[in-house]
Amino acid sequence: MSSAPPSRLILRQPDDWHVHLRDGAMLGGVLAYTARQFARAIVMPNLSPPCATTGDVAAYRDRIMAALPAGSSFTPLMTLYLTDATDPADLEMGFALGVLTAAKLYPANATTNSAHGVTNVRRLYPVLDRMQEIGMPLLVHGEVTDGDIDIFDREAVFIERGLTPTLRDFPALRVVVEH
């Protein structure tokens, strides 16, 4: 005996899988709206300065928790801003402690507050290897910043030059391409 599919779907409190809460006064202005609508959110780390170590991320999470409205049950899911100098041991520790949910790849100078981003994906290979080992997701802002590449082709070129070789070299890496 089969039952008919439901006629409607109710999302009581969804998650936001890409939110920029920012910091300081902006954090105070944005967080209440996000926390009212969403149970959890993947929080982007591209502050100024960026959240590039587990300590940076933990401190940012503390500021978020302190700014939450009373009675809120919102859970920020924190991400680490990857740089050419990211320490795989620090990343693994943050993931094991539950401070980090994922790591975010921003190509250097591709978007807001990305000046400290990665200059070449190959420089991240020790970090990506560790992420693959521990099952930590990589969140990718995928575009190149080469001046000779048309702005409308930046994402396609990133996939060809950066993402495809990375996926070949790290076939078990969990990757989310966000753009």
Side-chain angles (χ1 to χ4, degrees):
M1 184 174 206
S2 66
S3 62
S7 60
R8 65 183 183 153
L9 176 65
I10 298 170
L11 298 177
R12 298 195 195 300
Q13 192 171 24
D15 292 334
D16 183 337
W17 294 114
H18 184 116
V19 69
H20 293 272
L21 297 176
R22 301 299 182 211
D23 212 353
M26 184 64 76
L27 171 63
V30 170
L31 182 59
Y33 296 104
T34 299
R36 182 174 3 149
Q37 298 300 320
F38 299 101
R40 302 177 303 169
I42 298 282
V43 179
M44 296 297 109
N46 58 327
L47 303 180
S48 184
C51 295
T53 68
T54 295
D56 297 338
V57 174
Y60 183 35
R61 183 186 60 192
D62 290 346
R63 294 191 303 276
I64 292 168
M65 297 306 290
L68 277 172
S72 175
S73 61
F74 174 77
T75 301
L77 302 172
M78 306 304 292
T79 60
L80 181 77
Y81 183 111
L82 295 173
T83 71
D84 290 347
T86 297
D87 178 3
D90 178 68
L91 175 133
E92 182 175 10
M93 177 192 66
F95 189 64
L97 292 173
V99 174
L100 304 176
T101 297
K104 179 71 180 204
L105 167 61
Y106 295 101
N109 302 306
T111 190
T112 305
N113 295 336
S114 65
H116 301 282
V118 175
T119 60
N120 184 319
V121 175
R122 288 197 163 278
R123 292 187 176 176
L124 279 183
Y125 271 30
V127 172
L128 299 179
D129 186 52
R130 186 71 56 91
M131 290 175 70
Q132 179 173 255
E133 286 176 20
I134 64 177
M136 183 181 196
L138 173 67
L139 312 181
V140 178
H141 178 106
E143 68 179 292
V144 296
T145 58
D146 306 29
D148 62 326
I149 304 296
D150 185 277
I151 191 167
F152 295 107
D153 295 329
R154 291 171 128 192
E155 292 168 342
V157 172
F158 177 84
I159 290 169
E160 177 187 327
R161 291 183 188 169
L163 188 60
T164 299
T166 301
L167 294 175
R168 181 192 61 238
D169 294 342
F170 299 96
L173 184 63
R174 298 169 61 196
V175 178
V176 176
V177 178
E178 298 182 336
H179 294 274

